[in-house]
Amino acid sequence: MKSDELDESLTFATAAAIDAAWASWGRLDTDVIAHLINPSFLGGPVWPALRQAHTITRRDNALLVASSGLADPTAWDNAEPTNGYELEVYGISADLPADSDTMNVATSWLGDLVRSVSNQVAHFGFGVSGMLDRYDLVTLALPDLDFADGADTYLDDEMAVVMLGLTDTELPATVAGPLSSIRLVNVKLLTAAEGRFCVNNTIGDDNARRELARRFAEQGRPLWSSLSRPSVV
């Protein structure tokens, strides 16, 4: 990666495009969730242009936490420059108080969930975009997430499972970046029963994921996650 060779205006244009999407949903905070020391220097996953942060957008009744840096303009050694891995991930929940401060959001289950998915994307890189291109919806297991007491409904063999790729009219599915299109990837927390439905079924994994998406739309607010949402399975 050689992101320092790219014009800084590309970074500003990328931020403007993504921030406009979040601002269309709610009030985007000026403060971001970030690390004192970049985890990539401590053996953690390396984000495309090394910058890794998360933003918070607020409504009166919900919060949206999103990655910020997975789509940063990046010059690759053996490929044309792109907007990083060409996606950012986000989760929405009404579980947290809407006026929660930045630290409380960062350490909440929603903050942990989105951060864990963000780092998985950084680890797998363009493989995640490729799977979404092929299947539209994918499921991902996230080991070692420490949910609150009473959240066992959402843990299967001590692992949380999420669905990536759900879309709805309340947010755009993509935004136009200065170097490439950027997908805005929803992170939906599944109950243990919903996660098992995706792999233990008679209709095929892809059809099972699409059936879950249909049920989520029927349930309402398909992009939102909660530790108290009734299972659709």
Side-chain angles (χ1 to χ4, degrees):
M1 303 176 191
K2 301 175 291 183
S3 56
D4 57 340
E5 295 182 5
L6 296 178
D7 193 291
E8 193 174 23
S9 64
L10 297 172
T11 299
F12 293 132
T14 299
I18 296 171
D19 288 355
W22 305 143
S24 74
W25 184 88
R27 302 176 298 276
L28 179 63
D29 281 8
T30 54
D31 292 335
V32 300
I33 301 169
H35 303 273
L36 291 175
I37 301 175
N38 193 316
S40 63
F41 301 144
L42 302 174
V46 178
W47 290 33
L50 296 184
R51 186 183 71 89
Q52 48 183 290
H54 290 83
T55 61
I56 303 169
T57 306
R58 302 174 189 269
R59 284 184 176 177
D60 292 341
N61 64 336
L63 294 173
L64 182 156
V65 177
S67 61
S68 179
L70 292 172
D72 277 2
T74 305
W76 306 100
D77 290 330
N78 300 308
E80 291 297 312
T82 65
N83 271 105
Y85 292 133
E86 302 179 328
L87 58 79
E88 298 285 0
V89 300
Y90 70 93
I92 302 173
S93 182
D95 284 9
L96 284 64
D99 60 353
S100 299
D101 63 29
T102 302
M103 183 59 70
N104 283 333
V105 176
T107 56
S108 69
W109 69 264
L110 179 63
D112 286 343
L113 187 76
V114 176
R115 183 167 52 252
S116 180
V117 174
S118 301
N119 285 327
Q120 290 273 25
V121 171
H123 176 73
F124 290 111
F126 286 107
V128 176
S129 296
M131 288 189 293
L132 289 168
D133 286 338
R134 181 174 180 180
Y135 299 111
D136 293 328
L137 299 168
V138 300
T139 52
L140 183 68
L142 304 171
D144 302 326
L145 277 185
D146 185 15
F147 282 162
D149 292 341
D152 291 347
T153 301
Y154 287 86
L155 293 175
D156 189 9
D157 293 331
E158 302 305 313
M159 286 194 298
V161 177
V162 296
M163 178 174 285
L164 305 182
L166 288 166
T167 58
D168 190 57
T169 55
E170 68 176 299
L171 272 166
T174 61
V175 298
L179 291 171
S180 51
S181 180
I182 301 167
R183 194 191 310 251
L184 304 182
V185 180
N186 177 255
V187 177
K188 176 83 167 187
L189 177 62
L190 303 185
T191 65
E194 291 163 353
R196 288 193 293 268
F197 178 74
C198 288
V199 294
N200 300 324
N201 61 81
T202 59
I203 60 176
D205 295 355
D206 187 42
N207 287 335
R209 291 191 294 269
R210 293 180 187 279
E211 174 60 17
L212 277 188
R214 186 192 68 78
R215 296 185 191 185
F216 291 146
E218 198 172 71
Q219 186 178 55
R221 290 181 169 168
L223 303 183
W224 295 36
S225 294
S226 173
L227 294 182
S228 59
R229 177 182 61 81
S231 182
V232 298
V233 173

